[in-house]
Amino acid sequence: MKKSFKIAMLTMLVSMIALAGCGAKGSKEDEASAGGTTEDGKLKPYKITLVYPGTAQKDLAVVQEEMSKYLTEKINATIELKPIEWGSWDDKTNLMKISNEPFDLMFTASWYYYPRDAAKGQYLELDDLMNQYGKDIPDVLGPDFIKGSRIGGKLYALPTKKEFGQSFGLLLSKKLVDKYKFDVNGIKSIEEVEKMLGTIKANEPGVTPIISRKFTNVWEAANYDNIIAHIAVARGSKEIKAIDKLEDPKYIDFYKRMNVWYKNGWFDKDILTSDTDQAMNMIKAGKGFAVASSLKPGKDKEMSLTSGTEVVQMETAAPFTTTGDAQGAMLGISRTSEDPARAMMFLNLLYTDKKLLNMLDWGVEGKHYVKKSENVIDFPEGVNADTQAYPSPGGWMFGNQFNAYLWANEDPQKWEQFQKLNDSSERSIILGFAFNQEPVKAEMAAIENVNKEFEASLGTGAVDAEKTIAKWKEKRDAAGFAKVKAEVDKQLQEWAAAQK
C-alpha cells in the first residue's frame, strides 16, 4: 500500500508540475503575441534556435555570427544554428521534446514525424501567427502548398517552396546511353525500359542492368497516393475512395513483372540491401547501368556532381503531387518557443529575403562562395567541394528555394524548370488529407510487423507475386487490417465533407 501511495503521489506531483509549466508557457505566448516588445513598442533582443538534421560545418559559428548581425538589424534577433546528425536525430530530438527544452524552430516532414508530432501538440498552430507576422508567406507559397501542409484543417508547419510533386524514373549511365544511342527523352513505358535493360544484359556481361529495389518504390509512388498499410487512392481516381493495393490487379501484375526481371538476371545480387549510393558507385566503376529515383529538374546534374560520374535522367511517369510531397520539408514552431512571433518573423524573412536565405544555404559571400553573376556563384579561388568550410546544410530544408543562388555548373534555367514542374504536376484528389493513426495504433503496430515479413522480398522480384501477396493478406487480416481500413474510410469521408 505504501509503495502504491508513493507512486500515486509522484504521479500527481508530475502532473501538477506539467500543468504549472503549461500556465507559464501561456504567459510567454501572451508576451510573444505582442512580438516580444518593450513599453515603447520596440522589439526586445531575442535568440532564435533553429534545429535541423545535418553535420555541423567547420565554419558554422562564422555563418551564425553573420546571420545574427543581419537579423539584429532586421528583427533585433540573433540565431543559434543547431544541426543534429541524421543518425542521432531521433534520440536527441525526442529528448528535447519530452524534456520541454526551449527551442524555436525544428525541421519536420510527412516522412519525419510531422503528423505524429502535430497530433501530440509539439508544434503551434500557425495561421494566426502567419496572419500577423508572416504576411508575405501565403503569396510566396501559394494555396496548394498551404493546403497540402494542413492536418485536420490546421497548419502546424510551413513547407519549403521547392518542387511541388515529383516525377519518376531512372538515372542512367551516360556512357552506356551514348554507346547504345538510347532515347531518354519523353516518358518511357515499362516496355521501353525493358528493352534497354535487355540490351545491357545481352551486350555488357560485366554490367548489372538495374541496381536496388528502388524501382518498385518509384513505381508505387507514381501510381498511388499511399495513405497507410498499403491502403491508397489510385492516381487518376475521380472519387475519394481508398483501395487495398494488395487486391488491385494493376499492383499484382506489376510484381509479377518484377519476378520476370529477377529471373532475367537484371537486378544486382545485393538487391535486398543496395541503395542509391551503392548504385552510383557501381555506375562509376562501369559495373552498373541504372538506378530508379524520384526526379526533378537537374537531378542528373546534381547526382553527377556528387558522385563523380555522369548520369542522365529518364522519366517513366509524369509528375504527381500528394500530401506527402507538399509536406516533404517543413519548419514548425515548437510549443516551447519563448517568442513564437519572432520565430514567425524569421520564417517570413526566409521566404522573402534572398540575402538571409543564401547565408544559411551557402555561407558568407567572399569567404565560402563568390558571385559570378547576380544569381550564379562558385567556390573562391583555391577552394573546392572537398576543402570548403561550410558545405550546404541542405537548401531544400529552408524557406523559398527559388531565391537560392545557383552554382556555376547548374542549369541557369533550373528554377524556371521547377516552376514548370509545379504548374504541370497532377494533384492527388486527396491532396491535404493526413491520416490520424491514434485510433488504430495497436493494429498498425501489428500490421507493420507483418509488412516487414513480406514487403522486402516482394520488392526484389525474387518470389512468386500471387502466392506471396495471398499469404501477406492472410496474416495482415489477422493483425486487424479490417479495423484500419474502416478507420481510413471514416476519416476520408469526414475530410471530404469538410472540403465542401
Side-chain angles (χ1 to χ4, degrees), residues 11-25:
T11 302
M12 184 181 298
L13 180 61
V14 171
S15 298
M16 290 172 67
I17 291 170
L19 286 170
C22 289
K25 183 71 187 75

Side-chain angles (χ1 to χ4, degrees), residues 194-214:
E194 288 176 334
K195 288 180 181 178
M196 293 183 188
L197 300 182
T199 297
I200 297 299
K201 181 65 178 178
N203 296 285
E204 299 287 339
V207 177
T208 298
I210 184 166
I211 306 152
S212 96
R213 56 190 178 96
K214 286 179 67 70

Side-chain angles (χ1 to χ4, degrees), residues 82 153 199 263 288 358:
K82 197 167 183 177
T199 297
K263 290 175 179 177
N358 282 285

Side-chain angles (χ1 to χ4, degrees), residues 104-110 112-115 117-118 122-127 129-130 137 141 145-151 154-160 326-334 344 347 351 397:
D104 297 288
L105 294 155
M106 180 176 280
F107 173 82
T108 187
S110 59
Y112 228 46
Y113 315 125
Y114 173 51
D117 284 344
Q122 177 59 47
Y123 301 119
L124 300 179
E125 294 180 31
L126 298 183
D127 279 301
L129 281 165
M130 184 169 65
I137 295 173
L141 286 173
F145 257 118
I146 292 176
K147 175 186 176 183
S149 300
R150 294 187 181 278
I151 294 179
K154 297 178 180 179
L155 190 64
Y156 296 98
L158 290 172
T160 305
Q327 300 174 4
M330 318 178 81
L331 290 176
I333 299 179
S334 171
M344 181 57 73
L347 286 174
Y351 286 96
M397 289 192 286

